[in-house]
Amino acid sequence: MITTIFDRKGHERVGGLFPPADTPHATAELIPPDLKRKVAPRIPNVPEPEVVRHYMHLSKLNYGIDDGIYPLGSCTMKYNPKLNEDLARLPRFAVAHPLADTSHVQGSLQLLYEMERILAHIAGLAAATLQPAAGAHGELTGMFLIRRYFEDRGDSNRKYILLPDSAHGTNPASATIAGFTVREIKSGPDGMVDLAALDSVLDDTVAGIMLTVPNTLGIFEERILEITDHVHRAGGLCYFDGANLNAYIGRARPGDMGADVFHFNLHKTLSTPHGGGGPGSGPVAVAEALVPFLPVPRVVHRDGSYQFDWDYPRSIGSMHSFYGNFGVALKAYAYLLQLGDAGMRAVSENAVLNANYLQTLLKRVYPLPYDRLCKHEFVLSGKGVGNGVTTLDIAKRLLDYGFHPPTIYFPLIVHEALMIEPTETEGKETLDQFAAAMEQIAREAKENPELLHNAPVNIPVRRLDQTRAVRQPILAYPFTD
Amino acid sequence: MRYIVNTAADRRAMLAAIGVDSIDDLFVDIPPEVKNRYRPLGMGEKSELEVREAVEELSLRNADPHAVIPFLGGGMYDHYIPSVVGHVISRSEFYTAYTPYQPEASQGTLTTMFEFQTMVCELFGMEVANASMYDGGTALAEAALMAERGVGAGKIGIARAVFPHHRRVVDTYTWAAGIDVVEVPYMADGRIDRAAIPAGLSGLIVQTPNAFGALEDLAGLKDAIGDAFLIVSVNPLSLGVIAPPGEFGADIVTGEGQPLGIPMSFGGPGLGLFATRMRYIRMMPGRIVGRTVDAAGNVGYTMTMQTREQHIRRARATSNICTNAQLSALTATVYLATLGADGLQEVAQLNMEKAHYLAARIAAIPGYELAFSAPFFNEFVIHVPGDPQAVRSALQEDGIDVADPRILASLGVNNAIAFAVTEKRTRAQLDRLANRLEALQ
């Protein structure tokens, strides 16, 4: 039985959190009657022990990376080191006010400054900004930068952004919000960008291409240098979506592949926790030609101290109220300090090894539409398992076996897709157990499909009625008073 | 690397199962030219102990919070965070979960999202809230885009007394969308000049309390702007005592949620609050959670109304937002649950009363006066005699920090300093500040 805090009986005033007022004024006399709140918000007064039990109970209905493998493709659900959580709570970082005098926040500024440099280097690009608060926000920043770049050159003709049909949904949405029109290019039979299809749309109306490398099938674009070269020759720019950086961190750099703009997902590749849906951080690195357009303020080191510099007249402006998600950048910074070069290499090595191993085990049981070397993830199809069993059924049955399911029904170019990304922080033993459960589910699909249609049965709630949620929307607590 | 689980023997067995000889064989698809261009960072591996010490040492380059009393505002404030909040959000079932794409394994996150939406609606007096945006500035920018989708006039009005750092984000997003932004001046009392609101807007953005701390009078404002959306950016904590914008016909209400138990953390992560009317829900950006039932008829929660969102609608989505600020939303939820309606009123009163005590003390000093006559909540502007930078420096020498007066000057308020006061400030600290200013005479 799931209850909300609003189901708690209201108590009398609880109090005790704050000392009594030590100043003479009374609010009642300070607020003009027409500005005064007359009806209190319906938030019950609940004593602390009951608040704690309520949220402890809810936490137990959740599955996190500390509970087990979380193989959501393209989400890079790796272990989140505990050290980084401690460091983000260091008092002098946690209480730093964004408008504090810069002499009071030299540590915070130095961290931002160093992190931007480290990220620019990992990207193989000239400079970076930490302002974007998530991956999609990084995409939007990148699209704005490209827009400004052409505006600055007086080239108003370039209104198209090219996107492979395997792209994440955020890509077309980001390009559109930045004022571009999206043109989709079909993938070739090998799952990669078809150069001929690309060339057929490249002209002086194309502002650029958004690529995910490796792509969402987990396949590295082997012709990446030709792709970026062709786009550049046509006068366009190349945006790389960094969601899949875990596949090659420590071994290759997007700048060396022809990227002009690249966004990181610190909450994926660099281990910061996802928090059930954020906060993330989506720093953007750019090539030299785009540096003048980066968001302001920028952090500079000048005359022996770290400062903000606003004097970038060609900048796109600001993307965030302040300087981005400092608390997230701090965790990623600590992670990179631990890793060093060798650690980054070990990340991509084990991420790719784990994915190929799991792909090898599972392709015996489930169709693998693009059967080849994968990078950090791969995409199976649930189609053809038989007996009317869908990918959704497979995912829900995995819950009964205690595993979080993979990403499902994405990418769109694979029917009944199951997109699996184990990450480097799972071991062979866990992968073997996961594969065994997937094999068992395939057997059940043939022998007793009802088990799958009815799944899950072993967890706190059964399958939820999504249609009802849309048709009869209840989007806030239905108070009866 | 400490976080790798595979042993050397595991790796050998896995390579054999895959049918390759070495790890390098797994990377043959990356062009050799690309691999050859790779340049390492030149950073060695570090132990946990070394990293802890290095980052702690870096933190010591920030000022000691006990040595500096902040009177800084601008949407982020030095509020007290009850211990419960940190303990609940440190449950790794919450903070190490992904977006709740599998609702059956995410009822904890989803239930708290539903609670959060409800609390935002209650605070704002609105009908539907999303599960969060990145921060106050981006929430306001998304509100401008939504108003444009709804009305399509190509023009947004914005009160000049909106926080400049929120305004800058609005400017960036609207530039790309090709929307004109028209600034609406403030009157001598610090509030928006209604007579100067242009016609033919898609939306009008006002903020209350505004960048001067002044509480805007929202009554009748909606009627004054015709079909345009009334967009109100608020400090959520003020709504413990101040009437919510929903009562005045606001179409969209946004805000920076940091005052609700979230550490300032040098400006991020914050929490973007966003609420609207049910009739506009199809235009709304961001995730929404709804209540439904499971196959056994029991209540459960799931993300819903997703056809607005990028993963379904792609190029025609209402926003590109995906990851938002869920853990900050949980933080605000636990904060509000811990305080309850009465505690929220109590903390809002403390902010307001202490701010008014300080304002009265400073305004009693010859040469100092309140810059605006409008009522205020916990932030106010004082005209100071002489150079405000000199006043600021003098305060800093005494361990008191106030925001750079150039921020006010950028809004046309010269020779002035803004002060923000929270429940954490004691009367002794307020007196110390006032006495220091007196001593400057």
Side-chain angles (χ1 to χ4, degrees), chain B residues 174-197:
Chain B
T174 49
W175 153 71
I179 303 168
D180 287 335
V181 176
V182 186
E183 195 170 88
V184 184
Y186 52 85
M187 300 184 298
D189 71 351
R191 292 167 154 183
I192 189 168
D193 182 357
R194 289 190 187 200
I197 300 171

Side-chain angles (χ1 to χ4, degrees), chain A residues 105-277:
Chain A
V105 285
Q106 284 294 299
S108 299
L109 285 166
Q110 185 178 342
L111 191 145
L112 292 175
Y113 182 85
E114 287 183 8
M115 191 61 176
E116 285 186 354
R117 255 146 202 79
I118 292 171
L119 293 178
H121 186 97
I122 292 174
L125 289 165
T129 173
L130 285 162
Q131 276 195 29
H137 203 210
E139 293 172 22
L140 192 61
T141 305
M143 288 295 109
F144 285 173
L145 289 166
I146 291 173
R147 178 98 187 268
R148 185 70 106 201
Y149 169 84
F150 286 116
E151 208 175 76
D152 188 66
R153 293 164 64 99
D155 187 346
S156 56
N157 202 26
R158 295 185 182 267
K159 55 179 187 283
Y160 292 108
I161 288 288
L162 307 180
L163 272 173
D165 53 6
S166 55
H168 297 119
T170 49
N171 289 179
S174 300
T176 305
I177 290 169
F180 292 112
T181 302
V182 169
R183 195 170 263 182
E184 201 170 85
I185 33 179
K186 290 240 171 299
S187 303
D190 55 5
M192 294 188 274
V193 171
D194 182 342
L195 267 181
L198 173 65
D199 288 341
S200 72
V201 291
L202 274 179
D203 58 26
D204 63 2
T205 63
V206 172
I209 188 168
M210 288 182 98
L211 289 166
T212 304
V213 182
N215 66 24
T216 58
L217 295 166
I219 298 173
F220 196 91
E221 294 284 351
E222 291 180 1
R223 294 177 292 270
I224 190 67
L225 293 173
E226 287 91 332
I227 295 169
T228 54
D229 180 55
H230 289 205
V231 173
H232 287 152
R233 280 165 189 264
L237 294 173
C238 298
Y239 183 96
F240 280 35
D241 180 323
N244 295 344
L245 174 63
N246 222 41
Y248 61 87
I249 189 169
R251 304 177 164 265
R253 307 188 298 178
D256 296 333
M257 301 174 202
D260 301 293
V261 191
F262 175 79
H263 90 253
F264 290 83
N265 294 78
L266 301 188
H267 48 292
K268 294 180 180 177
T269 319
L270 299 184
S271 87
T272 71
H274 201 271

